[in-house]
Amino acid sequence: MNPVHVQQIECLLALADELHFGRTAERLGCSQSRVSQLLAALERRLGVRLVDRTSRRVALTRFGAQFVDEVRPAYEALTAVLARAHERARSGALRQLRVGFHGSVYEEITVAFRRLRAEHGVTVALNEIPLGSPFAAVLDGRLDAAVVELPVREPALTVGYRFPPQDRLLALAPSHPLADAAPVDVEALAGLDLLHPTGDAPDYWRTARVPHATPAGAPISSSMGISTVQEGLALVAAGEHAMLVCRPLAERAARGDVRYLPVTGLEESSQLGLVWRTDRAVPALLALAGLLREEFTGPAARPPAPSAVPA
């Protein structure tokens, strides 16, 4: 079955307005023979004559007039959609941002999302991404941005906003021998089996989540991988594994079968970042970064310009 092309519909509508092949060709910027070809192709597709043409006049057939009346609103709606899309592409504006996240979205972040809609007319569609795959969906264009743990050293990505650093806590089952030893010294991690995220994250990112060794050089065991935070907490509660988590997660994931203990001596804290592709830094993303900055540090804070993350 031969498809109907938009150019054929455009030609018929112009001819219905002009009722003259020469003026139609001039209006469309093509030759009269091209107008005849487009009309003939449309008539073959529909199986009916749309235009009567003599040496003196051009007129729509009864069927042609009815078809024009029916198809014109659909064509005008399509051109309006295309025009709006072109304008958004030209200006870099988006009506919706697709944002990925791990685990949970904090209240300050959702406030920024609501303000983005109220102040900029941009909504946010949230998508939970695998714990061990922080960058893939942004890099391949499935998401516009993601709120993920740092560091980010991908040349194609920009950290548009860095959230305030947070303490890292050790999640243990209440029955674990270290559960009452708060705070836990970092060297004690060598005696634990820490959970690690599974996925396609680069090695530097995995190491930041679960170090290979303590500062003194003692190896840290990590025999089990997880794909979600909730999976990790369930394994911790079972008593055989432990997990490093950030303080905000611990405060929002309180449960009776898991204890969260401070760790002294950890070299790095936990820090989230709003990350997007450097070549897709549209105004909506810059606006969201500014709103997050205001929610976490106040409107008086001077915003640093987002920059590409070095490799």
Side-chain angles (χ1 to χ4, degrees):
M1 180 181 293
N2 294 327
V4 173
H5 297 290
V6 174
Q7 194 175 17
Q8 297 168 1
I9 299 297
E10 183 180 27
C11 177
L12 175 63
L13 294 178
L15 186 59
D17 293 338
E18 302 293 344
L19 295 178
H20 189 280
F21 276 75
R23 290 195 297 271
T24 299
E26 183 178 353
R27 175 171 165 177
L28 297 178
C30 63
S31 65
Q32 292 189 44
S33 62
R34 179 57 177 162
V35 172
S36 298
Q37 291 170 3
L38 291 170
L39 178 62
L42 181 57
E43 289 179 331
R44 285 195 301 270
R45 173 64 181 83
L46 298 177
V48 66
R49 182 175 290 279
L50 300 172
V51 175
D52 285 329
R53 178 183 185 183
T54 67
S55 59
R56 295 186 176 182
R57 63 188 296 269
V58 175
L60 296 175
T61 65
R62 183 175 180 181
F63 188 96
Q66 181 179 353
F67 181 72
V68 165
D69 289 342
E70 292 175 346
V71 79
R72 190 186 295 275
Y75 173 80
E76 292 176 347
L78 175 61
T79 55
V81 169
L82 293 175
R84 290 194 296 270
H86 175 72
E87 176 60 25
R88 290 198 300 273
R90 186 188 64 80
S91 63
L94 285 176
R95 290 183 180 275
Q96 184 182 78
L97 288 178
R98 300 161 299 168
V99 178
F101 68 98
H102 287 151
S104 62
V105 180
Y106 308 147
E107 288 86 348
E108 295 90 345
I109 300 177
T110 58
V111 169
F113 290 163
R114 291 196 296 271
R115 289 185 59 192
L116 185 68
R117 179 174 183 175
E119 299 174 21
H120 299 274
V122 178
T123 61
V124 174
L126 290 173
N127 297 263
E128 186 169 8
I129 55 180
L131 191 61
S133 185
F135 312 133
V138 177
L139 287 170
D140 65 22
R142 286 177 287 135
L143 295 177
D144 300 303
V147 177
V148 296
E149 285 197 83
L150 303 178
V152 178
R153 299 173 186 161
E154 308 307 297
L157 295 179
T158 286
V159 181
Y161 174 66
R162 296 174 185 268
F163 293 77
Q166 301 288 343
D167 293 334
R168 300 182 78 188
L169 305 180
L170 181 66
L172 290 170
S175 59
H176 194 281
L178 290 178
D180 295 322
V184 176
D185 185 78
V186 66
E187 295 299 323
L189 298 183
L192 302 174
D193 190 358
L194 294 181
L195 296 169
H196 65 268
T198 58
D200 56 11
D203 289 340
Y204 72 82
W205 190 89
R206 295 172 183 267
T207 302
R209 307 282 73 72
V210 181
H212 297 311
T214 67
I220 297 175
S221 175
S222 181
S223 65
M224 177 71 71
I226 57 173
S227 58
T228 67
V229 171
Q230 295 306 318
E231 178 187 357
L233 292 176
L235 289 171
V236 167
E240 296 183 10
H241 302 277
M243 182 169 63
L244 289 171
V245 301
C246 64
R247 182 176 294 278
L249 186 148
E251 293 172 348
R252 291 164 173 80
R255 45 191 293 173
D257 54 359
V258 175
R259 291 199 62 184
Y260 300 101
L261 307 176
V263 181
T264 59
L266 276 176
E267 295 180 354
E268 294 185 3
S269 58
S270 174
Q271 187 174 24
L272 295 175
L274 177 68
V275 178
W276 60 69
R277 267 178 50 171
T278 304
D279 62 351
R280 297 188 178 182
V282 295
L285 287 171
L286 300 176
L288 176 58
L291 293 173
L292 288 170
R293 188 174 296 109
E294 289 184 12
E295 291 302 322
F296 281 90
T297 60
R302 184 176 182 177
S307 58
V309 180

